[in-house]
Amino acid sequence: MIICLGCITQWTFAQDASTEQAIKELSKAKWEWMAEKNVEELAKLFHDQSKFVHMSGTWKKDRELEIIETGSIWYKQADVHDVAVEVFGDTAILWNRITLLAHVRGNDVSNEFTVTEAYKKEGDQWQLLALTFSSVRDTHEIAH
């Protein structure tokens, strides 16, 4: 019984670590797709009911994709300084501390953010449910 419990615990830990890594890679790909304005891949990633919280407002999937496609906000480069992931069954929360270089209203701007991303597993695919930008200082730390 103890051996079985140990095996199950190890398997669960390995599964969570694998899921955490998959979510980190998915988030990294998301930043690249945003920089490339690749709305085709982002449309697959964003859940139909997803919401996006920015400094200037909160909107849904269709508006976020339109903003990216038209370049209203061009997420030129996200330098990720730290990442933490927590997995809760079929839900994962990821926190990134980033420096974001973006083109907004005709100007290049650079801001420090902690970005919170919520993912839900739908079938065998992870989809982004929510993405929230929180303005922070460059000394901000994410507790692991």
Side-chain angles (χ1 to χ4, degrees), residues 8-138:
I8 291 169
T9 301
Q10 276 187 319
W11 180 77
T12 302
F13 178 76
Q15 188 177 24
D16 282 351
S18 174
T19 300
E20 287 177 20
Q21 187 59 38
I23 295 296
K24 286 178 183 180
E25 290 172 12
L26 193 55
S27 177
K28 180 181 177 187
K30 172 199 45 60
W31 290 121
E32 292 170 6
W33 296 332
M34 290 171 93
E36 298 164 355
K37 301 180 189 177
N38 187 341
V39 293
E40 185 176 311
E41 289 301 319
L42 292 168
K44 294 179 210 172
L45 175 64
F46 298 167
H47 191 279
D48 286 342
Q49 295 176 310
S50 57
K51 292 228 177 148
F52 302 83
V53 180
H54 293 264
M55 292 169 63
S56 61
T58 300
W59 43 79
K60 297 179 181 179
K61 175 182 178 173
D62 290 343
R63 179 74 178 122
E64 182 73 6
L65 291 172
E66 175 189 333
I67 285 168
I68 292 167
E69 187 172 38
T70 64
S72 294
I73 300 173
W74 177 16
Y75 303 94
K76 293 173 86 171
Q77 182 177 339
D79 292 326
V80 178
H81 307 292
D82 194 8
V83 180
V85 178
E86 297 278 341
V87 178
F88 311 93
D90 66 352
T91 303
I93 309 295
L94 177 140
W95 297 270
N96 285 303
R97 191 177 69 74
I98 69 168
T99 302
L100 179 65
L101 175 61
H103 192 77
V104 182
R105 296 184 196 103
N107 298 303
D108 281 346
V109 294
S110 179
N111 288 294
E112 300 292 324
F113 292 107
T114 289
V115 180
T116 304
E117 302 172 27
Y119 291 88
K120 178 157 178 63
K121 193 162 193 179
E122 297 279 334
D124 62 346
Q125 299 293 316
W126 287 95
Q127 287 196 294
L128 183 88
L129 288 172
L131 183 143
T132 301
F133 288 90
S134 300
S135 183
V136 296
R137 294 186 178 96
D138 62 355

